[in-house]
Amino acid sequence: MIPPFSRRFRLALMFLTRLPVPLDPAPEASEIAEAGDMFPLVGALVGAATGAVFWGLTSLGLPPLVAAAAALAAQLLLTGALHEDGLADMADGFGGGFTRARKLEIMRDSRLGTYGGAALMLSLLARAGLIAALPPEGAIAALAVAQGASRWLLSALRIGLPPARAVEDGGGLTASVAATDALPITLRATLPTLLLPPLLIGWDALLPVALGLLVVWATLRKLCRWQIQGFTGDTLGASQQLAEILLLCVLVAR
């Protein structure tokens, strides 16, 4: 059963941010998955907050790159670096393991390796540079679109992919999430995702944003199937990071 709108929004806010969100009764993993249609909306709020910090600091006279770095720091505090952790773990696993089992073992390890550290550094550098290249007055809208639309992939990447750790773990959070049908959740998330570009930037941004999401979706889906024959929470987080970077490239180049 799909939770009501207000509960799904609070579930998404609780999952994607560090904000204290009271929920009674306590949510189950399947409920969090069903809240995937709210991920783009919450992501847009996170992006708008990031853009507001950037705009405010540049208005005070800080250099754009310094303001962008500070805005990213604020974002990491707000989100708990949830998706950055996924990107680093995926890079470590895919880069450092030679077998499927070893890749999954490395991805479970909380220690940061060379591949993960390099991926995290490159992601932060790329995003800081792209944010600094945005006009400060347009940063709130651009970041709301990039961060909101990129979170569509947290549900979409599950379509047609099994949980990579279901057999090894005998279940777990990823398997519980996978028990929900990703297709209807993704379809519900598609409308708010596609509304973000025309509402905040203009209709001319809709096609580039949609194509960017499809490129990341197809590429990561093929990569996950090749590397670990499925998805994990880390690969979902990594998909958001890669999509955000690509969408910021698209918006900066407009």
Side-chain angles (χ1 to χ4, degrees):
M1 183 177 178
I2 302 173
F5 179 93
S6 61
R7 183 169 174 84
R8 296 202 314 277
F9 182 79
R10 285 182 290 150
L11 282 165
L13 200 62
M14 179 199 73
F15 181 67
L16 296 178
T17 74
R18 288 291 183 90
L19 297 175
V21 181
L23 277 171
D24 186 30
E28 299 179 357
S30 59
E31 275 195 297
I32 295 174
E34 290 287 357
D37 58 341
M38 297 290 110
F39 289 176
L41 297 179
V42 173
L45 293 176
V46 171
T50 306
V53 173
F54 174 69
W55 173 77
L57 292 177
T58 54
S59 299
L60 293 175
L62 265 65
L65 191 56
V66 175
L72 279 177
Q75 178 191 315
L76 295 179
L77 288 174
L78 180 59
T79 63
L82 175 66
H83 304 314
E84 286 81 2
D85 179 70
L87 175 66
D89 285 344
M90 189 186 83
D92 274 336
F94 286 13
F98 291 99
T99 66
R100 175 179 180 272
R102 180 57 180 155
K103 292 175 194 293
L104 290 173
E105 181 184 354
I106 292 172
M107 290 167 69
R108 176 179 282 168
D109 193 332
S110 61
R111 292 171 295 181
L112 183 65
T114 302
Y115 288 105
L120 191 56
M121 179 184 68
L122 291 172
S123 171
L124 291 171
L125 282 173
R127 287 152 64 201
L130 288 164
I131 293 172
L134 291 168
E137 64 277 6
I140 295 177
L143 285 167
V145 169
Q147 293 199 32
S150 63
R151 282 167 172 81
W152 174 81
L153 286 157
L154 299 179
S155 299
L157 191 63
R158 295 197 293 116
I159 297 175
L161 283 179
R165 288 198 179 100
V167 175
E168 290 83 353
D169 293 353
L173 177 61
T174 302
S176 298
V177 169
T180 62
D181 190 349
L183 182 58
I185 299 169
T186 302
L187 290 176
R188 296 202 310 267
T190 298
L191 180 59
T193 299
L194 294 182
L195 284 176
L196 286 172
L199 288 178
L200 298 178
I201 297 179
W203 282 99
D204 60 321
L206 176 58
L207 183 58
V209 167
L211 289 177
L213 290 175
L214 290 176
V215 166
V216 176
W217 176 81
T219 303
L220 262 293
R221 188 173 182 275
K222 182 168 290 188
L223 182 63
C224 288
R225 189 175 291 280
W226 170 47
Q227 292 278 344
I228 55 174
Q229 291 83 59
F231 75 91
T232 68
D234 290 328
T235 62
L236 297 181
S239 72
Q240 185 279 326
Q241 292 281 282
L242 296 174
E244 182 182 335
I245 292 170
L246 179 57
L247 294 182
L248 283 173
C249 288
V250 169
L251 296 176
V252 166
R254 287 177 67 248

